[in-house]
Amino acid sequence: MGKQWYQRRVHGKQWYQRRVHGKQWYQRRVHGGQQSEVEVLVLENPIFAEKKSMVQMLDQDLLRKYILFSKKTVKPKLHNIDKVKIANFYAELRQKAMEGGGIPIATRHIESILRVAEARAKMHLRDYVRDDDVDMAIRMVLKSFIRSQKLSVRTNLERQFQSYLNFSKHSYELLLHKLETMVNDETWYRGSQDAYDEIALSFKDFQSKAADLNVHDLTDFLKSDRFKDSGFSWDGKDRIVKAFS
């Protein structure tokens, strides 16, 4: 297949372009089109080839300022978090790991959960750590811990801790139930859904109902196939629409 193919295979497309066309050509390609080097690397990646329209690049200078601002000004407090949940999770995981002859969980893992929860709250510029920050931190630490185990222990732990690993999927079902309830209430108020092709719901009302479930970040849910396959769509602002096929 030739030397050129081998070089591109080993060193990558960007290295090969600089090698063949020269550094100045590559710099013009990166910076002349108002794209950063990171943008070129991401947008030319085959993984994003079919999703370029969905990729929204964040200006690196703005991102740098955002990180500095959050580091200097935001100090989230561990206030009213579910300490019982964390304690029960630690005790259960330690017991199950030791039963299977795996590496036992240590107190440093609890510290990691708290630090990750604080980091997520800081990323969102919040003054307090919320329950969803703790849930995300537990899933992250749990996945990392399970991957460190031998295969037999790993398989057993994944099965026994599905409730933690699949928390987002479970919450999706609860959120869909809330939406369907809102649709039913609206159709009852109007009289019949047969007279309408679609029904618009208030996004703020849905946010309020989601908060009752301790779900505060709806981004992943609104982008999920489960949300779309159920006939819902979001206009990106203040309306969620249910289409009747």
Side-chain angles (χ1 to χ4, degrees), residues 64-96:
R64 191 179 300 110
K65 291 179 180 178
Y66 185 92
I67 294 174
L68 289 174
F69 175 80
S70 64
K71 282 184 175 181
K72 291 182 179 180
T73 62
V74 183
K75 306 294 180 183
K77 298 179 178 62
L78 295 168
H79 180 67
N80 287 336
I81 63 172
D82 195 343
K83 297 180 181 179
V84 175
K85 176 191 288 187
I86 298 176
N88 290 339
F89 166 75
Y90 171 77
E92 184 179 0
L93 183 57
R94 182 175 179 84
Q95 178 185 356
K96 297 300 182 183

Tab-separated table of all heavy atoms in Angstrom, residues 64-96:
chain	number	residue	atom	x	y	z
A	64	ARG	N	-11.222	29.003	28.474
A	64	ARG	CA	-10.145	29.268	29.436
A	64	ARG	C	-10.626	30.239	30.524
A	64	ARG	O	-10.377	30.038	31.724
A	64	ARG	CB	-8.936	29.833	28.695
A	64	ARG	CG	-7.680	29.901	29.550
A	64	ARG	CD	-6.503	30.439	28.746
A	64	ARG	NE	-6.217	29.584	27.605
A	64	ARG	CZ	-6.432	29.930	26.338
A	64	ARG	NH1	-6.958	31.111	26.049
A	64	ARG	NH2	-6.140	29.098	25.366
A	65	LYS	N	-11.334	31.277	30.113
A	65	LYS	CA	-11.856	32.260	31.076
A	65	LYS	C	-12.894	31.620	31.994
A	65	LYS	O	-12.956	31.919	33.191
A	65	LYS	CB	-12.466	33.442	30.328
A	65	LYS	CG	-11.449	34.305	29.603
A	65	LYS	CD	-12.124	35.438	28.865
A	65	LYS	CE	-11.105	36.301	28.126
A	65	LYS	NZ	-11.763	37.397	27.358
A	66	TYR	N	-13.716	30.755	31.411
A	66	TYR	CA	-14.757	30.080	32.194
A	66	TYR	C	-14.135	29.218	33.286
A	66	TYR	O	-14.584	29.233	34.441
A	66	TYR	CB	-15.606	29.225	31.257
A	66	TYR	CG	-16.797	28.561	31.898
A	66	TYR	CD1	-18.042	29.171	31.897
A	66	TYR	CD2	-16.675	27.307	32.498
A	66	TYR	CE1	-19.146	28.560	32.470
A	66	TYR	CE2	-17.769	26.680	33.087
A	66	TYR	CZ	-19.000	27.312	33.073
A	66	TYR	OH	-20.076	26.708	33.648
A	67	ILE	N	-13.089	28.474	32.927
A	67	ILE	CA	-12.420	27.599	33.895
A	67	ILE	C	-11.759	28.424	34.988
A	67	ILE	O	-11.869	28.101	36.185
A	67	ILE	CB	-11.387	26.709	33.182
A	67	ILE	CG1	-12.092	25.724	32.236
A	67	ILE	CG2	-10.543	25.947	34.195
A	67	ILE	CD1	-11.150	24.913	31.379
A	68	LEU	N	-11.076	29.494	34.611
A	68	LEU	CA	-10.422	30.351	35.605
A	68	LEU	C	-11.439	30.995	36.535
A	68	LEU	O	-11.222	31.085	37.756
A	68	LEU	CB	-9.597	31.437	34.889
A	68	LEU	CG	-8.330	30.963	34.169
A	68	LEU	CD1	-7.701	32.116	33.396
A	68	LEU	CD2	-7.325	30.387	35.161
A	69	PHE	N	-12.553	31.440	35.964
A	69	PHE	CA	-13.594	32.068	36.782
A	69	PHE	C	-14.166	31.078	37.794
A	69	PHE	O	-14.330	31.397	38.967
A	69	PHE	CB	-14.711	32.590	35.875
A	69	PHE	CG	-15.879	33.155	36.623
A	69	PHE	CD1	-15.833	34.437	37.144
A	69	PHE	CD2	-17.032	32.387	36.827
A	69	PHE	CE1	-16.917	34.963	37.852
A	69	PHE	CE2	-18.103	32.900	37.533
A	69	PHE	CZ	-18.046	34.195	38.042
A	70	SER	N	-14.451	29.851	37.330
A	70	SER	CA	-15.036	28.853	38.231
A	70	SER	C	-14.046	28.461	39.331
A	70	SER	O	-14.444	28.232	40.477
A	70	SER	CB	-15.469	27.614	37.437
A	70	SER	OG	-14.357	26.972	36.842
A	71	LYS	N	-12.762	28.378	38.990
A	71	LYS	CA	-11.756	28.013	39.988
A	71	LYS	C	-11.630	29.072	41.072
A	71	LYS	O	-11.474	28.764	42.260
A	71	LYS	CB	-10.401	27.796	39.317
A	71	LYS	CG	-10.250	26.462	38.600
A	71	LYS	CD	-8.845	26.312	38.059
A	71	LYS	CE	-8.644	24.938	37.436
A	71	LYS	NZ	-7.253	24.778	36.920
A	72	LYS	N	-11.693	30.333	40.667
A	72	LYS	CA	-11.435	31.425	41.603
A	72	LYS	C	-12.653	31.813	42.427
A	72	LYS	O	-12.528	32.231	43.578
A	72	LYS	CB	-10.926	32.648	40.839
A	72	LYS	CG	-9.534	32.477	40.250
A	72	LYS	CD	-9.085	33.753	39.542
A	72	LYS	CE	-7.674	33.602	38.979
A	72	LYS	NZ	-7.229	34.835	38.281
A	73	THR	N	-13.834	31.703	41.852
A	73	THR	CA	-15.013	32.276	42.497
A	73	THR	C	-16.025	31.267	43.022
A	73	THR	O	-16.826	31.601	43.889
A	73	THR	CB	-15.752	33.217	41.516
A	73	THR	OG1	-16.216	32.464	40.383
A	73	THR	CG2	-14.823	34.313	41.024
A	74	VAL	N	-16.020	30.043	42.502
A	74	VAL	CA	-17.063	29.083	42.882
A	74	VAL	C	-16.497	28.053	43.859
A	74	VAL	O	-15.538	27.350	43.546
A	74	VAL	CB	-17.644	28.369	41.638
A	74	VAL	CG1	-18.773	27.437	42.050
A	74	VAL	CG2	-18.129	29.390	40.618
A	75	LYS	N	-17.097	27.984	45.025
A	75	LYS	CA	-16.697	27.015	46.061
A	75	LYS	C	-17.944	26.276	46.545
A	75	LYS	O	-18.548	26.629	47.559
A	75	LYS	CB	-16.029	27.745	47.237
A	75	LYS	CG	-14.870	28.642	46.870
A	75	LYS	CD	-13.690	27.860	46.328
A	75	LYS	CE	-12.525	28.794	45.973
A	75	LYS	NZ	-11.390	28.058	45.368
A	76	PRO	N	-18.370	25.246	45.818
A	76	PRO	CA	-19.608	24.544	46.179
A	76	PRO	C	-19.520	23.906	47.564
A	76	PRO	O	-18.499	23.359	47.948
A	76	PRO	CB	-19.736	23.467	45.093
A	76	PRO	CG	-18.855	23.923	43.986
A	76	PRO	CD	-17.730	24.659	44.626
A	77	LYS	N	-20.623	23.983	48.291
A	77	LYS	CA	-20.689	23.424	49.635
A	77	LYS	C	-21.467	22.112	49.626
A	77	LYS	O	-22.459	21.971	48.919
A	77	LYS	CB	-21.364	24.414	50.592
A	77	LYS	CG	-20.615	25.736	50.739
A	77	LYS	CD	-21.363	26.665	51.673
A	77	LYS	CE	-20.599	27.978	51.870
A	77	LYS	NZ	-20.426	28.726	50.613
A	78	LEU	N	-20.991	21.158	50.411
A	78	LEU	CA	-21.676	19.872	50.566
A	78	LEU	C	-22.786	20.044	51.594
A	78	LEU	O	-22.639	19.719	52.777
A	78	LEU	CB	-20.682	18.797	50.997
A	78	LEU	CG	-19.591	18.446	49.986
A	78	LEU	CD1	-18.505	17.598	50.634
A	78	LEU	CD2	-20.184	17.714	48.786
A	79	HIS	N	-23.920	20.545	51.129
A	79	HIS	CA	-25.009	20.906	52.031
A	79	HIS	C	-26.236	20.058	51.715
A	79	HIS	O	-26.718	20.025	50.582
A	79	HIS	CB	-25.352	22.393	51.877
A	79	HIS	CG	-26.464	22.849	52.760
A	79	HIS	ND1	-26.346	22.887	54.120
A	79	HIS	CD2	-27.716	23.291	52.471
A	79	HIS	CE1	-27.466	23.343	54.638
A	79	HIS	NE2	-28.318	23.587	53.653
A	80	ASN	N	-26.740	19.363	52.734
A	80	ASN	CA	-27.956	18.545	52.591
A	80	ASN	C	-27.831	17.453	51.528
A	80	ASN	O	-28.817	17.100	50.878
A	80	ASN	CB	-29.161	19.432	52.247
A	80	ASN	CG	-29.623	20.243	53.447
A	80	ASN	OD1	-29.374	19.864	54.596
A	80	ASN	ND2	-30.298	21.345	53.186
A	81	ILE	N	-26.635	16.924	51.328
A	81	ILE	CA	-26.499	15.795	50.410
A	81	ILE	C	-26.936	14.517	51.123
A	81	ILE	O	-26.997	14.464	52.358
A	81	ILE	CB	-25.047	15.637	49.903
A	81	ILE	CG1	-24.090	15.324	51.057
A	81	ILE	CG2	-24.602	16.866	49.150
A	81	ILE	CD1	-22.694	14.974	50.617
A	82	ASP	N	-27.245	13.491	50.344
A	82	ASP	CA	-27.736	12.233	50.903
A	82	ASP	C	-26.557	11.408	51.409
A	82	ASP	O	-26.026	10.538	50.713
A	82	ASP	CB	-28.520	11.466	49.839
A	82	ASP	CG	-29.352	10.344	50.439
A	82	ASP	OD1	-29.072	9.961	51.592
A	82	ASP	OD2	-30.268	9.854	49.753
A	83	LYS	N	-26.159	11.662	52.645
A	83	LYS	CA	-25.020	10.956	53.227
A	83	LYS	C	-25.330	9.480	53.450
A	83	LYS	O	-24.442	8.634	53.368
A	83	LYS	CB	-24.617	11.616	54.544
A	83	LYS	CG	-24.128	13.058	54.399
A	83	LYS	CD	-23.758	13.649	55.738
A	83	LYS	CE	-23.296	15.099	55.597
A	83	LYS	NZ	-22.962	15.707	56.896
A	84	VAL	N	-26.591	9.180	53.708
A	84	VAL	CA	-26.984	7.782	53.928
A	84	VAL	C	-26.791	6.975	52.645
A	84	VAL	O	-26.323	5.826	52.682
A	84	VAL	CB	-28.451	7.707	54.395
A	84	VAL	CG1	-28.897	6.251	54.509
A	84	VAL	CG2	-28.618	8.418	55.731
A	85	LYS	N	-27.144	7.571	51.501
A	85	LYS	CA	-26.961	6.883	50.229
A	85	LYS	C	-25.493	6.557	49.994
A	85	LYS	O	-25.143	5.439	49.581
A	85	LYS	CB	-27.481	7.743	49.073
A	85	LYS	CG	-27.244	7.121	47.701
A	85	LYS	CD	-27.514	8.113	46.584
A	85	LYS	CE	-28.982	8.389	46.429
A	85	LYS	NZ	-29.275	9.218	45.230
A	86	ILE	N	-24.610	7.519	50.254
A	86	ILE	CA	-23.184	7.311	50.047
A	86	ILE	C	-22.656	6.234	50.989
A	86	ILE	O	-21.884	5.358	50.595
A	86	ILE	CB	-22.411	8.630	50.246
A	86	ILE	CG1	-22.869	9.674	49.220
A	86	ILE	CG2	-20.909	8.401	50.123
A	86	ILE	CD1	-22.229	11.029	49.400
A	87	ALA	N	-23.085	6.276	52.246
A	87	ALA	CA	-22.626	5.290	53.228
A	87	ALA	C	-23.106	3.884	52.860
A	87	ALA	O	-22.335	2.911	52.937
A	87	ALA	CB	-23.129	5.670	54.618
A	88	ASN	N	-24.363	3.772	52.454
A	88	ASN	CA	-24.897	2.459	52.069
A	88	ASN	C	-24.205	1.926	50.811
A	88	ASN	O	-23.928	0.721	50.699
A	88	ASN	CB	-26.407	2.550	51.825
A	88	ASN	CG	-27.180	2.771	53.105
A	88	ASN	OD1	-26.687	2.491	54.211
A	88	ASN	ND2	-28.388	3.283	52.986
A	89	PHE	N	-23.950	2.832	49.861
A	89	PHE	CA	-23.244	2.433	48.642
A	89	PHE	C	-21.857	1.900	48.968
A	89	PHE	O	-21.439	0.854	48.459
A	89	PHE	CB	-23.141	3.632	47.697
A	89	PHE	CG	-22.160	3.446	46.579
A	89	PHE	CD1	-22.462	2.628	45.498
A	89	PHE	CD2	-20.922	4.078	46.605
A	89	PHE	CE1	-21.552	2.445	44.470
A	89	PHE	CE2	-20.008	3.906	45.584
A	89	PHE	CZ	-20.325	3.082	44.510
A	90	TYR	N	-21.140	2.608	49.837
A	90	TYR	CA	-19.791	2.192	50.218
A	90	TYR	C	-19.808	0.822	50.903
A	90	TYR	O	-19.018	-0.074	50.557
A	90	TYR	CB	-19.181	3.242	51.147
A	90	TYR	CG	-17.879	2.820	51.789
A	90	TYR	CD1	-16.696	2.840	51.055
A	90	TYR	CD2	-17.836	2.401	53.109
A	90	TYR	CE1	-15.495	2.452	51.635
A	90	TYR	CE2	-16.642	2.009	53.699
A	90	TYR	CZ	-15.477	2.036	52.957
A	90	TYR	OH	-14.298	1.643	53.535
A	91	ALA	N	-20.726	0.653	51.866
A	91	ALA	CA	-20.783	-0.609	52.620
A	91	ALA	C	-21.152	-1.772	51.707
A	91	ALA	O	-20.549	-2.862	51.784
A	91	ALA	CB	-21.795	-0.475	53.751
A	92	GLU	N	-22.138	-1.566	50.827
A	92	GLU	CA	-22.586	-2.641	49.936
A	92	GLU	C	-21.502	-3.024	48.932
A	92	GLU	O	-21.250	-4.204	48.695
A	92	GLU	CB	-23.848	-2.192	49.197
A	92	GLU	CG	-24.467	-3.271	48.319
A	92	GLU	CD	-25.716	-2.797	47.618
A	92	GLU	OE1	-26.107	-1.621	47.815
A	92	GLU	OE2	-26.289	-3.601	46.853
A	93	LEU	N	-20.851	-2.017	48.354
A	93	LEU	CA	-19.815	-2.299	47.366
A	93	LEU	C	-18.611	-2.982	47.998
A	93	LEU	O	-18.023	-3.909	47.413
A	93	LEU	CB	-19.387	-0.996	46.676
A	93	LEU	CG	-18.354	-1.130	45.553
A	93	LEU	CD1	-18.850	-2.071	44.461
A	93	LEU	CD2	-18.016	0.234	44.969
A	94	ARG	N	-18.246	-2.564	49.183
A	94	ARG	CA	-17.106	-3.186	49.865
A	94	ARG	C	-17.405	-4.661	50.168
A	94	ARG	O	-16.553	-5.537	49.965
A	94	ARG	CB	-16.808	-2.431	51.165
A	94	ARG	CG	-15.598	-2.969	51.928
A	94	ARG	CD	-15.281	-2.112	53.133
A	94	ARG	NE	-14.147	-2.637	53.856
A	94	ARG	CZ	-12.874	-2.402	53.552
A	94	ARG	NH1	-12.588	-1.638	52.513
A	94	ARG	NH2	-11.892	-2.910	54.266
A	95	GLN	N	-18.626	-4.935	50.622
A	95	GLN	CA	-18.995	-6.307	50.945
A	95	GLN	C	-19.007	-7.192	49.702
A	95	GLN	O	-18.448	-8.290	49.705
A	95	GLN	CB	-20.376	-6.324	51.602
A	95	GLN	CG	-20.874	-7.727	51.934
A	95	GLN	CD	-22.290	-7.716	52.462
A	95	GLN	OE1	-22.884	-6.665	52.646
A	95	GLN	NE2	-22.828	-8.902	52.718
A	96	LYS	N	-19.634	-6.721	48.614
A	96	LYS	CA	-19.754	-7.532	47.404
A	96	LYS	C	-18.390	-7.777	46.756
A	96	LYS	O	-18.128	-8.860	46.220
A	96	LYS	CB	-20.683	-6.853	46.410
A	96	LYS	CG	-22.111	-6.695	46.899
A	96	LYS	CD	-22.761	-8.038	47.211
A	96	LYS	CE	-24.202	-7.855	47.656
A	96	LYS	NZ	-24.839	-9.150	48.023
